[in-house]
Amino acid sequence: MELSNLNIKNGLCISLGANIDSKFGRPLETLILCKPKLEQIIKNWINKNQTKKVIDRTNPKFLWSSIYETSPHGVENEQPDYLNALVLIESNHFPHQSIINAKLLLKELQNLEIFYGRKKNPEDQKWLSRCLDLDILWWEDFHVAEEELILPHPRFINRNFVISPLAEVLSRFQKIKK
């Protein structure tokens, strides 16, 4: 599916997931506590290279989904169910689309995961339980295919734990636009 079919302009979308306790509590508490920290990371990332006049006008809109409980996807071993959510951010002042800026955001998200207690997975193991998992799903119409970052996320359209929250956010987003 083309992102343009989603009828989104100036959008950045990030998914959140957790299925084990973090340093700050159970997955539900983790996602709730993470939201303002994630919003601040996004605001700082947007404002990093802006002039004072633009920073004063920069007020991104954060459209949060509800939290959804989903079964682990693509795992072979038994795991607890995940709690998932996503946020769609709308702004007219995102940084210039570049691999450098995308990787700066990715690094900040990874730092937040580490802050909550996430450990790096062994290279040969995917989809292990996580205390916090943050993924950039897309950033406007920016495309990048690097080892550590692919945008738009190559599998988001096939994941119910993304599609259900996305459908919720987009339906509210479309009502706001009317």
Side-chain angles (χ1 to χ4, degrees):
M1 174 184 289
E2 282 293 315
L3 292 178
S4 60
N5 293 341
L6 297 174
N7 197 21
I8 300 169
K9 290 188 177 189
N10 302 327
L12 169 68
C13 192
I14 298 173
S15 67
L16 301 83
N19 73 337
I20 57 174
D21 294 354
S22 74
K23 294 190 320 189
F24 301 100
R26 297 190 176 278
L28 180 60
E29 295 161 324
T30 298
L31 294 183
I32 291 169
L33 290 171
C34 175
K35 287 169 74 170
K37 291 184 185 320
L38 181 57
E39 287 185 7
Q40 191 58 55
I41 285 170
I42 299 298
K43 288 176 184 177
N44 291 345
W45 176 72
I46 290 171
N47 292 335
K48 188 170 185 143
N49 296 316
Q50 304 294 334
T51 65
K52 176 70 172 139
K53 287 181 185 177
V54 173
I55 290 172
D56 290 342
R57 292 179 299 162
T58 301
N59 195 12
K61 290 183 206 166
F62 293 92
L63 301 163
W64 285 95
S65 74
S66 301
I67 295 174
Y68 291 76
E69 184 174 3
T70 60
S71 298
H73 181 83
V75 300
E76 294 177 11
N77 57 341
E78 185 110 1
Q79 290 185 15
D81 285 348
Y82 272 84
L83 295 183
N84 296 98
L86 75 94
V87 59
L88 177 61
I89 303 106
E90 184 181 52
S91 175
N92 292 320
H93 301 287
F94 284 124
H96 172 72
Q97 291 181 349
S98 70
I99 293 172
I100 291 171
N101 284 330
K103 285 184 178 180
L104 284 172
L105 177 58
L106 177 64
K107 184 65 178 161
E108 290 299 319
L109 297 181
Q110 290 169 339
N111 288 340
L112 186 58
E113 291 173 340
I114 291 166
F115 177 75
Y116 274 82
R118 181 165 174 182
K119 305 283 189 256
K120 187 171 171 104
N121 289 345
E123 297 245 348
D124 62 336
Q125 295 180 355
K126 289 186 172 186
W127 301 304
L128 298 177
S129 291
R130 297 178 178 131
C131 64
L132 181 60
D133 184 35
L134 302 169
D135 287 313
I136 305 170
L137 300 178
W138 73 82
W139 174 22
E140 297 181 320
D141 60 353
F142 186 60
H143 287 62
V144 63
E146 300 254 322
E147 184 176 334
E148 61 193 90
L149 178 65
I150 300 173
L151 292 178
H153 191 289
R155 296 173 301 280
F156 86 86
I157 205 73
N158 299 321
R159 305 284 206 254
N160 283 336
F161 61 84
V162 171
I163 297 303
S164 295
L166 181 59
E168 174 196 348
V169 167
L170 289 177
S171 71
R172 280 192 279 128
F173 183 75
Q174 296 305 324
K175 289 176 186 172
I176 291 170
K177 291 291 188 180
K178 290 183 180 180

